Amino acid sequence: MREEKALFIIFGGTGDLAQRKLYPALFNLYRRGHIQKSFAVIGTARRPWTDEHYREVVADSIRGSVDADFYTEAMVENFADHFYYQSHNVNDTEHYMILKKLAQQLDDEYEIGGNRVFYLAMSPRFFGTIAEHLKTQKLVTDHGYNRVVVEKPFGRDLATATELNQSIEKYFPADSIFRIDHYLGKAMIQNITAIRFGNSIFRNLWNNRYIDNIQITLSESLGVEERAGYYETAGALRDMVQNHILQIVSLLTMNAPVSFNDQDLRQEKISALKSLKVYTPDEVAHNFVRGQYGPGEGVHAYRDEDNIADDSAIETFVAGKLEVENMNFAGVPVYIRTGKRLATKATRIDVIFKKMPTNIFPGVALTNNVLSIDVDPNEEITLYINDKDYDTGFKMKQLPLAYRNQNRDCPEAYEKLLHDLLRGDATNFTHWEEVKYSWQFVDAIRSAWDMETPAFPNYESGSMGPQAADELLARDGKQWFFDP
Ligand code: BG6
């Protein structure tokens, strides 16, 4: 097993993301041997924690999220010993000097060799100032790599995202910036390229001659939870469509990359996103639906949740019909939907193939072939075919050919992404140009919506969203394949 050597400096080390995702992911890399002796983590945040307290928090986050069969207490303690805490004000230059000293000391002690990962797990409004200080206070080394990882949201529209990007690129070269979209670390999202470009049957069918439409569903049963402050400034369009959904669209509709490396693959994704038809306000009204949840069984309406405005116009649901204007996908509608407080938690893609051009079986209805990729909760691929009923006579039925991943110990999204990061593989991180075209597409919808006050709430908690989301397909003579 190759040991990756790195010093992590996590800005936002006391935060929710660090505790729920980053520490367990780092631990999993540790127990599998990807990081071993030569790594250390400095957590920073405003709070005045001690190293001991920090290590306890790290250990607890592991106990709370890693399956107890996969570790011993001794492993957790040895791992937590690599963690150091530094109280830090991101605007205070002197604090960076202290951080630099500690970083140097740990680099020597753990024989890390100058590799540094600066993980910005905090509000984007601090990204610029952190990047500047890292550079001017010389926290970047000249004898290893220096990589910056940024979490979403990456701006709130194209203008702010551009500004944000420039504020980091001013100090760090483009290829050292790793923009996280955790969906790109999910096993079944990564499987899209494998299925498309590893199978001749799908390669040949993956275009507008054979695909009728594509459906992407990212439904959540939870409400806004504790994130009112952020969500009231974002809404489902910015929170889920600009990033996760458009990333999935790009993977499904891009042309074949020349090879499977970060440059070639991202080049094709950029082209796919550039091919998205940017809608006029009239087209937005025709092709996009927004919604906000009202009350449901035992749950409040969005507007009655804590810290949400009584008259909030923020959408908790989006459905839309996208058009990808490239040779292979022109004419194939891509229907998307995402929302909170829907009937079930499900992340899935349904690729609906065209019906047979003619039906030779008298009196028998043939269904569309469908390839379903269940990303969450099941990690399952199903191909639906028409099959003869094993009966006398000749009847047909829809037969699901399915494979479900049963491996309990598959690396979780963050573990995979952190491993890629350590290896310098940017394939599953978002390139700036992808961010740019995604915002361009989303901004057109946002600005059309901002011209009118929506009649919210318009869907019941526990449903699959407003009726208009079904009508979007019905008017094209189609329906959602996934109907929980
Ligand atoms: C995040 C959004 O990016 O993705 C959340 O900010 C959402 O609002 C979450 O709940 C869903 O992620 P997952 O991995 O649970 O599908």
Side-chain angles (χ1 to χ4, degrees):
M1 180 74 62
R2 174 177 150 178
E3 179 188 9
E4 304 293 342
K5 301 181 178 190
L7 174 68
F8 294 82
I9 302 184
I10 302 181
F11 293 88
T14 57
D16 186 53
L17 176 88
Q19 294 185 42
R20 273 191 315 115
K21 298 291 182 186
L22 303 186
Y23 303 148
L26 284 172
F27 178 73
N28 284 326
L29 288 174
Y30 176 75
R31 75 180 167 90
R32 292 188 219 272
H34 298 302
I35 50 176
Q36 298 170 15
K37 291 200 172 80
S38 294
F39 86 96
V41 179
I42 304 176
T44 80
R46 293 293 292 260
R47 294 178 212 182
W49 283 5
T50 59
D51 287 348
E52 287 66 37
H53 180 67
Y54 185 42
R55 287 173 190 166
E56 237 351 273
V57 169
V58 169
D60 279 346
S61 85
I62 287 146
R63 294 184 195 113
S65 61
V66 181
D67 190 323
D69 290 350
F70 300 140
Y71 66 84
T72 61
E73 269 306 305
M75 276 162 78
V76 175
E77 276 163 33
N78 290 338
F79 170 75
D81 279 349
H82 291 248
F83 284 68
Y84 298 80
Y85 187 78
Q86 184 65 54
S87 169
H88 182 84
N89 171 353
V90 292
N91 293 310
D92 189 333
T93 305
E94 267 180 43
H95 284 190
Y96 290 89
M97 290 150 86
I98 300 171
L99 204 54
K100 182 185 171 187
K101 246 175 99 182
L102 178 60
Q104 194 48 55
Q105 183 193 317
L106 296 177
D107 195 306
D108 293 343
E109 186 180 331
Y110 289 95
E111 299 175 357
I112 289 172
N115 292 341
R116 293 206 177 154
V117 172
F118 304 102
Y119 203 115
L120 312 190
M122 61 192 315
S123 167
R125 69 177 187 279
F126 301 121
F127 290 179
T129 195
I130 296 175
E132 178 182 353
H133 280 96
L134 292 176
K135 190 75 183 186
T136 55
Q137 298 311 307
K138 302 197 172 57
L139 269 108
V140 297
T141 61
D142 49 17
H143 56 293
Y145 61 68
N146 293 277
R147 296 180 184 147
V148 182
V149 187
V150 293
E151 280 286 342
K152 65 174 276 236
F154 202 81
R156 57 189 323 273
D157 51 24
L158 179 56
T160 51
T162 306
E163 210 176 293
L164 185 59
N165 198 51
Q166 284 166 353
S167 72
I168 307 172
E169 285 200 353
K170 196 165 160 197
Y171 303 103
F172 286 87
D175 63 0
S176 66
I177 304 169
F178 290 71
R179 294 174 199 79
I180 292 247
D181 182 320
H182 78 282
Y183 269 61
L184 297 182
K186 292 182 187 258
M188 280 297 168
I189 299 294
Q190 296 193 352
N191 215 351
I192 297 171
T193 33
I195 291 170
R196 286 194 56 194
F197 305 117
N199 296 291
S200 146
I201 55 168
F202 290 122
R203 178 185 88 84
N204 285 307
L205 299 180
W206 213 269
N207 54 53
N208 43 16
R209 264 167 293 150
Y210 298 103
I211 294 182
D212 185 90
N213 71 91
I214 294 178
Q215 303 180 6
I216 300 169
T217 300
L218 269 57
S219 75
E220 299 186 85
S221 47
L222 293 178
V224 67
E225 307 301 295
E226 318 290 302
R227 297 164 74 226
Y230 154 73
Y231 204 80
E232 278 280 272
T233 64
L237 183 69
R238 291 192 179 101
D239 188 44
M240 299 293 275
V241 178
Q242 184 273 333
N243 37 64
H244 310 321
I245 289 193
L246 291 186
Q247 283 295 314
I248 297 174
V249 171
S250 72
L251 288 165
L252 289 167
T253 61
M254 70 182 184
N255 291 329
V258 174
S259 73
F260 191 59
N261 67 33
D262 48 6
Q263 279 184 11
D264 291 343
L265 194 111
R266 296 202 296 181
Q267 194 51 52
E268 295 305 334
K269 285 174 69 192
I270 293 167
S271 299
L273 291 164
K274 194 174 169 184
S275 313
L276 281 177
K277 179 165 186 201
V278 176
Y279 289 141
T280 62
D282 282 349
E283 289 167 336
V284 170
H286 188 64
N287 292 315
F288 266 80
V289 172
R290 55 178 157 165
Q292 187 191 76
Y293 61 83
E297 236 180 275
V299 292
H300 296 301
Y302 178 73
R303 287 177 177 179
D304 295 331
E305 304 266 24
D306 288 348
N307 302 318
I308 301 289
D310 292 347
D311 59 349
S312 172
I314 282 296
E315 78 286 352
T316 59
F317 178 93
V318 180
K321 173 180 170 178
L322 281 60
E323 294 171 39
V324 182
E325 297 184 307
N326 67 15
M327 285 290 173
N328 282 331
F329 277 91
V332 179
V334 179
Y335 301 105
I336 61 159
R337 62 180 164 170
T338 182
K340 300 218 180 263
R341 282 267 188 264
L342 297 182
T344 185
K345 167 77 185 169
T347 303
R348 57 181 294 131
I349 299 155
D350 297 295
V351 180
I352 319 289
F353 291 91
K354 290 189 174 168
K355 282 226 166 93
M356 292 293 288
T358 176
N359 183 352
I360 64 164
F361 307 104
V364 172
L366 293 177
T367 58
N368 295 72
N369 295 132
V370 178
L371 176 70
S372 293
I373 302 175
D374 179 345
V375 181
D376 201 10
N378 289 325
E379 297 193 341
E380 184 171 74
I381 307 174
T382 310
L383 180 63
Y384 292 87
I385 64 168
N386 288 303
D387 172 63
K388 185 190 166 301
D389 215 353
Y390 302 98
D391 214 338
T392 49
F394 200 95
K395 285 196 210 118
M396 301 276 262
K397 65 176 189 329
Q398 193 178 42
L399 175 74
L401 304 173
Y403 172 76
R404 182 179 294 191
N405 176 26
Q406 304 278 12
N407 182 354
R408 274 174 63 217
D409 195 18
C410 264
E412 191 268 343
Y414 269 92
E415 181 186 347
K416 288 220 279 294
L417 294 177
L418 288 181
H419 191 218
D420 286 353
L421 165 77
L422 291 171
R423 292 182 301 117
D425 179 353
T427 308
N428 295 311
F429 293 83
T430 328
H431 190 280
W432 162 245
E433 296 278 311
E434 297 173 55
V435 177
K436 184 176 96 183
Y437 290 117
S438 302
W439 274 123
Q440 195 170 299
F441 176 79
V442 159
D443 281 358
I445 301 162
R446 187 73 260 167
S447 58
W449 281 355
D450 286 346
M451 290 190 273
E452 280 169 32
T453 308
F456 284 165
N458 61 351
Y459 71 96
E460 201 183 320
S461 286
S463 69
M464 274 312 271
Q467 229 190 336
D470 296 336
E471 284 156 12
L472 197 65
L473 279 72
R475 69 165 195 230
D476 294 341
K478 307 182 199 305
Q479 59 189 36
W480 292 104
F481 179 75
F482 177 61
D483 184 18

